[in-house]
């Protein structure tokens, strides 16, 4: 993801009585936006896409908390053998993985291979929570789930299970997985799905295996070897990587067919959603109108003149279109001037056409104009850019000094002034001010403020962002919300992935 | 809370505190323009926003545009030729599309009242498809056009329409893009559909009473 401007709407003057009608103060919105390029302070999380952090994955068995004395775990911590003679229901040799199953993905899966069925073949595979008592079979206790080899039953929190699948024994490979998309546990035997159950347990879950009669021995596979269950290893290269490399989400997403099918299901659902005709066209057009890209708009209208079926503009809510066509020509000109760094010319034009936006902010009963301020900052930046440092200092004294103590404004002023301190300002922490994106932000601010001067304006939010951005925001937020409803399990939201329709491609 | 629920009232919390990346939005718009071969608009947009001019995109656009123009004008044979040049084997692996394009030419001949030529063309190029059941019905529809003095007045008149040609062109576009490993459906469309789907899922999960189901149209108008 490139480090372009992000638009985070920070607190501002949000009315916080639960009323979600976005009464956002445009001044703070844009002031915050102007500092978007600056490196975030330590520990502050950014947008949804930043969740591609490393997540620990199970790599071996946990020898520290396993029930003492009943089992022996091999030195490589990938095999377990029951050495005792079992006498009752509280001497099970259960072993958890060293880490809980990772949650920031669509599916997690692991396998167990039965080397020796021992005296009674009473092994199990499943998931247990942190407080699980290792002397019991997974599934016999609350917040645990287990598929048992001796009876083929599924145990899901009680001592009594339900018929689920076939039994399993020596030389069988069984697998257990969590599907975060459907919130289910699923189990496999020798490469085929046995079944699935709804997962109601929340919180961290540890892959767990158990043995319970003399000489039972099993081996676990946390991904260090190829799985028996339909791995269409798209790259044999990946299966030879040490398992800690599976932390990389994109690698994990290439793992197996089950996951691909899950994704296909999701995509099919989206495909079937009806799309109102010209929805895309409308969003693009309103985007271009909103930001004043007049030339592009003209090209666009010319290109779409002869579309089949013809786009009927009469379907538009008439007044909406009027609103964003407001002052299109002037907004386009202002944007061009600012993009070229001609701030003085821009200010002159604004004084000519929309002097009110440079006035103290009557909306806020404030004696400062954020628009004016941002333009002055940009002028300062432009002077620094061409090396006119003395003039910049004078200008700063004249126009920016008064904002030094003002909350909301002082951060940006300090950053601007800091530019003077460096020989190579572009390489510094305040280098973002010299990027083209900073000019864009100022242009967007002026654009929004001009739109607000429209006497017919109804919707404040509509002046700050175009419809297209609002839809993107809706999508992001809904996905995040949905994920938080499943206890923050499942894949992190990625706009790129969400908008990719090539689901048949491996690793997409 | 306001008295009557509107589309905005059921927004999830944190609606305002979300990062939107400008370059993501730009690329959504750009890919829509590229998909539809709006070359001048692409150039203008890239220049206005300071995006890098995607040179290879523009080349692809021109080629695709030429193909679609031919097909829409009724010059299906040329369109097929150009498609073979741009994406060899595409039509081989997309029999449906191949049939549709060939039948466009057939329709063109019928409309120009060149019925003998049309019949000959159909017998050499279209009837071979009839070996597969799914084409038989389509074939019958097309051949039936020959029976009418004024095919525009026949029950199959839609096969002569510009809308039909546009549909074929759209499928062709998707196929070419898919082969070039570009998205066959624009991210813009996915955005709209995805939003509707997720929003619906949220409404289901929340099972709030009295809130109307999410409709994108209302969201955009409200």
């Amino acid at each position: 993801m490139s480090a372009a401007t992000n638009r985070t709407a920070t607190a501002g003057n949000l009315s916080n009585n639960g009323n979600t009608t976005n009464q956002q103060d445009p001044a703070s919105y844009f002031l915050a936006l102007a500092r978007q390029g600056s490196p975030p302070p330590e520990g502050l999380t950014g947008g949804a896409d930043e969740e591609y952090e490393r997540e620990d994955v199970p790599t071996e068995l946990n020898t520290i908390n396993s029930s003492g004395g009943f089992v022996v775990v091999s030195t490589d911590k990938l095999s377990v053998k029951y050495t005792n003679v079992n006498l009752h229901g509280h001497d099970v040799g259960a072993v958890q993985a060293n880490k809980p199953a990772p949650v920031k993905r669509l599916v997690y899966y692991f396998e167990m291979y039965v080397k020796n069925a021992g005296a009674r073949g009473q092994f199990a595979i499943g998931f247990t929570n942190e407080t699980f008592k290792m002397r019991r079979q997974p599934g016999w206790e609350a917040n645990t789930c287990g598929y048992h080899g001796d009876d083929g039953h599924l145990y899901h929190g009680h001592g009594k299970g339900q018929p689920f699948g076939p039994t399993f024994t020596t030389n069988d490979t069984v697998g257990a997985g969590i599907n975060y998309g459907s919130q289910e546990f699923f189990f496999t035997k020798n490469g085929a799905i046995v079944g699935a159950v709804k997962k109601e347990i929340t919180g961290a879950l540890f892959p767990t295996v158990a043995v319970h009669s003399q000489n039972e021995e099993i081996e676990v596979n946390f991904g260090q070897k190829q799985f028996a269950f339909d791995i269409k290893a798209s790259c044999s290269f990946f299966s030879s990587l040490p398992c800690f490399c599976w932390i990389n989400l994109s690698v994990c997403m290439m793992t197996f067919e089950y996951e691909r099918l899950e994704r296909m299901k999701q995509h099919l659902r989206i495909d079937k959603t009806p799309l109102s005709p010209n929805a895309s066209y409308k969003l693009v057009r309103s985007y271009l109108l909103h930001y004043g890209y007049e030339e592009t708009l003209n090209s666009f209208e010319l290109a779409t003149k002869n579309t089949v079926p013809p786009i009927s503009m009469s379907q538009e809510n008439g007044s909406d279109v009027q609103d964003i066509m407001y002052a299109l020509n002037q907004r386009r000109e202002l944007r061009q001037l600012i993009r070229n760094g001609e701030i003085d010319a821009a200010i002159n034009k604004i004084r000519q056409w929309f002097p009110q936006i440079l006035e103290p902010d009557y909306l806020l009963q404030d004696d400062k104009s954020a628009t004016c301020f941002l333009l002055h900052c940009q002028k300062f930046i432009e002077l620094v850019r061409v090396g006119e440092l003395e003039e910049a200092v004078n200008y700063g004294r004249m126009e920016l000094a008064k904002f030094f103590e003002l909350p909301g404004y002082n951060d940006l002023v300090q950053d601007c002034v800091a530019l003077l301190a460096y020989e190579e300002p572009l390489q510094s922490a305040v280098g973002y001010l010299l990027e083209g994106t900073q000019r864009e932000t100022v242009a967007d601010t002026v654009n929004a403020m001009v739109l607000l001067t429209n006497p017919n304006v109804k919707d404040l939010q509509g002046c700050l962002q175009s419809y297209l951005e609002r839809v993107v925001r809706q999508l992001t937020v809904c996905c995040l919300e949905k994920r938080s409803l499943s206890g923050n399990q499942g894949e992190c939201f990625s706009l790129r992935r969400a908008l990719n329709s090539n689901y048949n491609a491996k690793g997409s | 809370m306001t008295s009557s629920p509107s589309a905005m009232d059921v927004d999830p919390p944190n609606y305002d505190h979300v990062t939107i990346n400008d370059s993501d939005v730009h690329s959504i718009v750009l890919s829509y323009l590229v998909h539809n071969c709006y070359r001048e608009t692409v150039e203008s947009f890239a220049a206005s926003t300071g995006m890098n001019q995607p040179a290879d995109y523009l080349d692809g656009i021109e080629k695709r545009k030429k193909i679609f123009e031919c097909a829409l004008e009724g010059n299906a044979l040329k369109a097929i030729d150009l498609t073979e040049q741009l994406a060899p084997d595409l039509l081989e692996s997309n029999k449906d599309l191949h049939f549709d394009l060939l039948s466009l030419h057939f329709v063109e001949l019928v409309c120009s009242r060149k019925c003998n030529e049309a019949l000959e063309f159909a017998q050499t190029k279209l009837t071979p498809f009839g070996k597969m059941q799914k084409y038989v019905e389509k074939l019958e529809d097309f051949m039936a056009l020959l029976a009418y003095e004024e095919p525009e007045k026949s029950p199959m008149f839609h096969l002569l329409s510009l809308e039909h040609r546009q549909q074929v062109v759209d499928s062709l576009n998707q196929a070419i893009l898919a082969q070039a490993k570009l998205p066959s459906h624009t991210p813009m469309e996915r955005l709209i559909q995805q939003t509707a789907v997720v929003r619906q899922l949220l409404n289901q999960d929340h099972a709030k009473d009295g809130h109307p189901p999410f409709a994108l149209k209302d969201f955009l108008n409200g």
Side-chain angles (χ1 to χ4, degrees), chain A residues 1-23:
Chain A
M1 190 76 77
S2 63
T5 16
N6 292 335
R7 292 172 181 268
T8 306
T10 50
N13 287 354
L14 213 61
S15 57
N16 53 5
N17 58 354
N19 189 337
T20 55
T21 52
N22 308 296
Q23 282 310 314

Side-chain angles (χ1 to χ4, degrees), chain B residues 92-134:
Chain B
E92 265 301 298
S93 29
N94 272 293
K95 288 267 175 243
D96 283 355
L97 204 46
H98 200 180
F99 180 85
D100 286 339
L101 282 167
L102 288 168
S103 56
L104 282 187
H105 180 72
F106 173 81
V107 163
E108 188 59 27
L109 290 170
V110 168
C111 286
S112 332
R113 304 288 191 264
K114 297 188 182 142
C115 291
N116 283 334
E117 226 181 295
L119 185 56
E120 212 186 299
F121 179 77
Q123 282 178 331
T124 41
K125 295 287 185 177
L126 291 180
T127 46
F129 284 88
K131 293 197 195 101
M132 286 201 273
Q133 187 56 35
K134 62 171 169 167

Side-chain angles (χ1 to χ4, degrees), chain A residues 5-9 22 267 269 271 273 275 280 284 287 296 304 308 339 467 469 474 477 496 498-499, chain B residues 11 15-16 18-20 22 24 26 32 38 44 47-48 162 166 188-190 193-194 197 199 201 220:
Chain A
T5 16
N6 292 335
R7 292 172 181 268
T8 306
N22 308 296
H267 279 280
R269 178 170 188 165
D271 279 349
T273 310
L275 198 59
S280 304
V284 172
Y287 179 84
T296 312
T304 54
V308 174
R339 282 202 70 226
Y467 285 132
E469 283 145 324
Q474 220 357 252
V477 170
R496 235 156 250 197
L499 302 185
Chain B
D11 277 336
Y15 181 66
D16 295 309
V18 144
T19 303
I20 296 186
D22 261 359
D24 280 345
H26 286 161
Y32 169 84
Y38 300 143
S44 172
S48 306
L162 190 56
Q166 183 67 50
M188 180 76 79
E189 281 176 10
R190 297 306 280 188
Q193 287 171 313
Q194 267 265 24
V197 168
R199 189 59 191 246
L201 287 173
L220 291 180

Side-chain angles (χ1 to χ4, degrees), chain A residues 145 154 156 162 164 183-187 195-199:
Chain A
C145 181
L154 183 84
H156 202 175
Q162 74 213 49
F164 183 66
Q183 288 288 304
E184 288 181 327
F185 289 117
F186 66 96
F187 295 89
V197 284
K198 210 83 190 121
K199 170 173 99 72

Side-chain angles (χ1 to χ4, degrees), chain A residues 41-299:
Chain A
E42 274 295 311
L44 198 67
T45 51
D49 275 32
E50 281 194 22
E51 283 187 70
Y52 281 119
E53 315 148 11
R54 280 176 59 111
E55 206 183 357
D56 285 338
V57 289
T59 52
E60 58 189 24
L61 295 170
N62 184 340
T63 49
I64 301 177
N65 70 347
S66 45
S67 36
F70 306 132
V71 296
V72 164
V73 178
S74 58
T75 39
D76 67 359
K77 303 197 187 175
L78 294 172
S79 299
V80 183
K81 184 167 179 170
Y82 195 81
T83 45
N84 247 9
V85 178
N86 61 327
L87 301 171
H88 49 73
H90 288 259
D91 59 4
V92 178
V95 191
Q96 285 179 333
N98 60 338
K99 298 271 184 244
V103 297
K104 290 183 180 150
R105 56 177 68 186
L106 188 58
V107 176
Y108 173 74
Y109 178 76
F110 78 104
E111 284 186 341
M112 173 179 104
Y113 168 72
V114 182
K115 274 168 114 165
N116 189 342
R120 307 222 195 118
Q122 287 172 329
F123 18 66
I125 187 173
F127 292 93
T128 60
N129 68 344
E130 215 163 0
T131 59
F132 177 64
K133 293 190 247 318
M134 301 297 157
R135 293 153 177 259
R136 304 280 285 159
Q137 288 280 13
W140 282 355
E141 302 289 313
N143 295 321
T144 68
C145 181
Y147 174 36
H148 291 205
D150 55 355
D151 56 6
H153 280 31
L154 183 84
Y155 292 78
H156 202 175
H158 315 282
K160 187 160 159 37
Q162 74 213 49
F164 183 66
T167 58
F168 52 91
T169 183
T170 320
N171 287 331
D172 282 332
T173 301
V174 283
I178 307 179
N179 180 339
Y180 294 110
S182 56
Q183 288 288 304
E184 288 181 327
F185 289 117
F186 66 96
F187 295 89
T188 68
K189 177 184 172 187
N190 293 333
I193 286 248
V194 172
V197 284
K198 210 83 190 121
K199 170 173 99 72
E200 261 123 41
I201 313 172
T202 54
L205 283 171
F206 290 82
T208 308
V209 291
V211 283
H212 195 205
S213 69
Q214 196 172 26
N215 292 327
E216 278 178 27
E217 192 175 349
I218 52 128
E219 225 173 63
V220 279
N221 180 1
F222 291 121
Q224 65 270 22
K225 298 193 299 204
Q226 193 164 351
F227 291 128
F229 175 52
D230 204 285
I231 253 201
K232 293 246 163 85
S234 44
C235 256
S236 57
F237 160 62
F238 283 118
S239 50
S240 65
L241 284 178
C243 47
F244 62 77
C245 289
W246 292 64
I247 291 166
N248 183 330
L249 261 160
S250 61
V251 172
C252 296
M253 291 203 299
M254 292 177 93
T255 48
F256 49 130
E257 188 71 1
Y258 177 79
E259 195 176 304
R260 191 178 82 83
L261 289 173
E262 270 305 300
R263 260 184 233 296
M264 263 190 70
K265 262 194 261 168
Q266 290 176 341
H267 279 280
L268 285 173
R269 178 170 188 165
I270 296 165
D271 279 349
K272 286 209 207 88
T273 310
L275 198 59
S276 85
N278 307 323
S280 304
Y281 168 84
K282 286 180 196 159
L283 283 179
V284 172
R285 186 160 180 276
S286 71
Y287 179 84
L288 296 174
L289 274 172
H290 185 275
Y291 285 107
Y293 293 122
E294 194 181 15
E295 275 147 23
T296 312
L297 182 69
N298 290 338
S299 274

